Amino acid sequence: MKTLLLIGLATLCFAASEPTVSLSSLKAVEASINDRIRSNINDPYDVLGPARGTYLEGYGAVFTMEMNLVLVSPLMVSPFHQTVSEKELSDLRERKMKKIDGLKATMRELMTSAGKSLTGLPPQERIVMEAFLFNYRWENSRGLPHRLVLTVSRQQLMDASNHRSTPAEMAALFTEEEL
């Protein structure tokens, strides 16, 4: 009898220590992020590394990625093109500024999708996505963010999805920071 009680107690302890969000579900969201970010063919991002996700018990799921908003041609700075004109710098900065809102919209869509696929994530916990934005030293990065951080609770996403919220209502759910 004592042995059965100990086995039952051990089983409960192991079950209680398992995370509610599985590694496989985090990997699936990472793959979705990577596919979506790399699929921007018209004006691609320069993806500097794959997306990474982790689950912080009691807080939520956090996903990070590192990228340059614009794929800078290797010919822009090379032995054959050693200086960059003010016009080229200005054009590059403008292209990056225009892509920030599009990246935020993509991040919101990815987080909404993650909210549906991370079924083990408790409703009161959050989904966070952070994009680290790379700039070369020679660029004019004044006014450009170095990081974008978006966060939303899974419950907010579920409620908005159930009520078939408009894109504007969905966008209003997210807390956004440009750092």
Side-chain angles (χ1 to χ4, degrees):
M1 185 65 142
K2 288 182 184 179
T3 305
L4 287 176
L5 184 60
L6 285 174
I7 291 172
L9 185 59
T11 303
L12 285 175
C13 289
F14 284 120
S17 66
E18 289 182 23
T20 55
V21 177
S22 70
L23 183 58
S24 62
S25 65
L26 290 172
K27 294 281 184 200
V29 173
E30 289 173 353
S32 174
I33 293 168
N34 291 330
D35 291 345
R36 181 68 189 276
I37 295 298
R38 289 186 176 120
S39 70
N40 185 2
I41 296 172
N42 294 334
D43 191 9
Y45 299 111
D46 186 5
V47 179
L48 303 175
R52 294 287 181 227
T54 190
Y55 173 66
L56 303 172
E57 191 170 342
Y59 183 76
V62 180
F63 298 92
T64 62
M65 57 190 160
E66 187 174 5
M67 69 177 60
N68 193 335
L69 286 169
V70 173
L71 181 60
V72 178
S73 168
L75 299 176
M76 189 162 209
V77 176
S78 72
F80 305 106
H81 187 224
Q82 294 180 359
T83 60
V84 181
S85 72
E86 287 298 319
K87 171 121 175 68
E88 289 171 319
L89 288 173
S90 175
D91 290 348
L92 178 61
R93 184 178 177 286
E94 284 303 311
R95 281 178 61 203
K96 285 188 173 192
M97 289 297 285
K98 289 178 182 176
K99 290 185 78 172
I100 291 171
D101 287 337
L103 177 59
K104 286 181 186 178
T106 299
M107 291 169 71
R108 286 190 296 267
E109 290 170 16
L110 287 165
M111 292 169 71
T112 300
S113 175
K116 294 173 185 171
S117 65
L118 294 172
T119 56
L121 185 68
Q124 73 279 7
E125 292 187 359
R126 308 192 71 65
I127 299 172
V128 179
M129 189 173 290
E130 181 173 21
F132 292 92
L133 305 176
F134 176 81
N135 297 299
Y136 289 99
R137 290 183 188 179
W138 47 263
E139 287 184 63
N140 175 5
S141 60
R142 186 177 53 251
L144 288 170
H146 298 286
R147 292 172 36 214
L148 295 176
V149 181
L150 276 66
T151 183
V152 66
S153 76
R154 183 163 184 261
Q155 185 66 55
Q156 288 174 298
L157 290 176
M158 291 184 334
D159 290 346
S161 180
N162 290 340
H163 292 101
R164 296 193 175 123
S165 298
T166 66
E169 291 170 331
M170 288 294 289
L173 299 176
F174 293 82
T175 303
E176 300 177 3
E177 288 184 84
E178 291 184 14
L179 306 168

